[in-house]
Amino acid sequence: MIVLKSAHEIEQMKKAAAVTAAMLDELPSIIAPGISTKDIDHWCEAYIRNHGMLPAFKGYGGFPAAACVSVNEEVVHGIPSKKRLLREGDIVSVDLGTVCNGYYSDAARTYPVGTISDEHARLIRVAEESFFEGLKFCRKGNRLGDVSHAIQTCVESAGFAVVRDFVGHGVGRNLHEDPQIPNYGKAGRGPLLTPGMTLAIEPMICTGAYDVKVLSNDWTAVTCDGSWAAHYENTVVITEGEPRILTLLGAEETNLSSNKEDAVHG
C-alpha cells in the first residue's frame, strides 16, 4: 500500500534530508587514494550523530554500517572495510540515509577517486542525468512507468545498461515502502503519481551487462562481468506542481542547527 504523507510528515523528512544532502556534498573532501571504505563509513556516522540524528542503514536487516560504500564493480550494499583502500582511478558509490523523529531520507552519489577515465566519468554523469530525466515525469497525473521509462531511455541511449535486480522505492515512515520503482519499463504503466507520495528514485547503471550477483557476505551486489557501476539517488516528494527534491543541497533551504535541536532519537 502506498502511504501518502502529510505536510507535517514531509517536514520531518525534510529535516532528515537536509543532513543527508549536506553530508553527500561534503564527502568529496575526504575521498582520496589511500582512505578505506571503513573510514568513509566512520565519517558518515559521526556526521549524522553530530547533527542529532540516527543513521538509517545501521542495523537495518542486519546491515553493519551507517553507509553502503561500493567500489568499482560493486553496484550497491558494499560493506565498509578497513582492508578496502581506495586507489587512484577508482569510483566509489556512497548510499545512506538519516532518521529524524522516526522519518527517513535516503540518497546516494558516486564519486571519483583522484583522476578517473573518461568512460567512468561519463558513467557517473549519466547516472545523475538519468535521475533528472525521470524527475521530469514526477508530476501529479503521470504514471510511475513514465519515470522508469525516462531513466532507461537516457541510460541506454548513452550506451550503458540499467541494473534490473535493484530498484527504487517509497520512503518516509520506513526506509523501504511501496511502491517499487524500477529504473526501466514502459511509459503509461504503474501507479498514478499523487501528491504526498515520497519516493527514493535511484538509477543504478553499469558499463557492461546488467546482470549482477550477491557476494557470500549476503549483501554486496557486483556486476557479473566485472564492469563498473554508478549510483545516483534522491528522496523526492510528489506535489500539486513541481516535484521537490529533499536530498539535494540547494534544492531546499536547510538549517542544520535547527535540525539538530528538533531531532528526536526515539
Side-chain angles (χ1 to χ4, degrees):
M1 181 179 69
I2 299 173
V3 178
L4 303 181
K5 309 305 188 301
S6 67
H8 171 74
E9 290 175 309
I10 291 170
E11 188 62 26
Q12 303 312 305
M13 292 180 65
K14 179 181 174 181
K15 292 174 183 177
V19 173
T20 300
M23 180 168 36
L24 291 171
D25 195 61
E26 291 184 33
L27 261 175
S29 67
I30 70 158
I31 291 176
I35 192 174
S36 75
T37 56
K38 190 65 175 176
D39 292 333
I40 294 173
D41 175 61
H42 280 157
W43 184 89
C44 291
E45 182 167 1
Y47 194 104
I48 293 168
R49 295 190 185 278
N50 287 342
H51 285 90
M53 298 190 183
L54 294 175
F57 289 13
K58 193 164 189 178
Y60 183 83
F63 191 75
C68 298
V69 187
S70 308
V71 182
N72 299 342
E73 76 282 357
E74 296 173 347
V75 178
V76 70
H77 302 157
I79 296 178
S81 170
K82 293 180 181 179
K83 297 180 179 179
R84 186 66 187 265
L85 303 180
L86 299 184
R87 299 172 299 179
E88 182 82 16
D90 285 344
I91 61 174
V92 57
S93 299
V94 181
D95 182 10
L96 48 75
T98 53
V99 188
C100 176
N101 297 332
Y103 287 89
Y104 288 75
S105 68
D106 190 4
R109 304 284 188 269
T110 301
Y111 303 96
V113 182
T115 302
I116 64 174
S117 71
D118 290 344
E119 180 186 34
H120 294 139
R122 194 166 68 89
L123 178 74
I124 293 172
R125 185 174 67 251
V126 170
E128 179 176 350
E129 288 173 352
S130 70
F131 167 85
F132 285 99
E133 286 300 310
L135 187 72
K136 293 177 181 179
F137 294 88
C138 288
R139 285 166 173 76
K140 175 183 175 181
N142 286 341
R143 296 279 179 180
L144 195 59
D146 299 331
V147 179
S148 302
H149 180 72
I151 292 171
Q152 180 181 12
T153 299
C154 177
V155 173
E156 293 181 350
S157 66
F160 297 124
V162 172
V163 171
R164 303 301 206 259
D165 289 6
F166 295 92
V167 299
H169 51 89
V171 63
R173 300 176 190 172
N174 299 287
L175 181 59
H176 291 99
E177 299 180 351
D178 290 333
Q180 291 194 342
I181 310 169
N183 296 305
Y184 63 95
K186 294 184 178 181
R189 305 284 182 88
L192 196 67
L193 297 181
T194 305
M197 291 176 69
T198 49
L199 308 174
I201 300 171
E202 52 179 322
M204 286 165 266
I205 72 174
C206 51
T207 58
Y210 58 69
D211 306 279
V212 301
K213 61 183 178 182
V214 177
L215 299 181
S216 59
N217 64 23
D218 293 329
W219 280 104
T220 308
V222 302
T223 57
C224 291
D225 60 8
S227 61
W228 288 16
H231 186 187
Y232 187 89
E233 176 184 18
N234 281 306
T235 297
V236 174
V237 181
I238 304 300
T239 75
E240 291 287 348
E242 297 291 315
R244 295 171 62 192
I245 307 175
L246 299 186
T247 49
L248 183 64
L249 209 61
E252 292 281 342
E253 291 184 3
T254 62
N255 187 329
L256 297 186
S257 60
S258 65
N259 287 348
K260 182 175 181 179
E261 292 172 2
D262 293 342
V264 176
H265 282 214

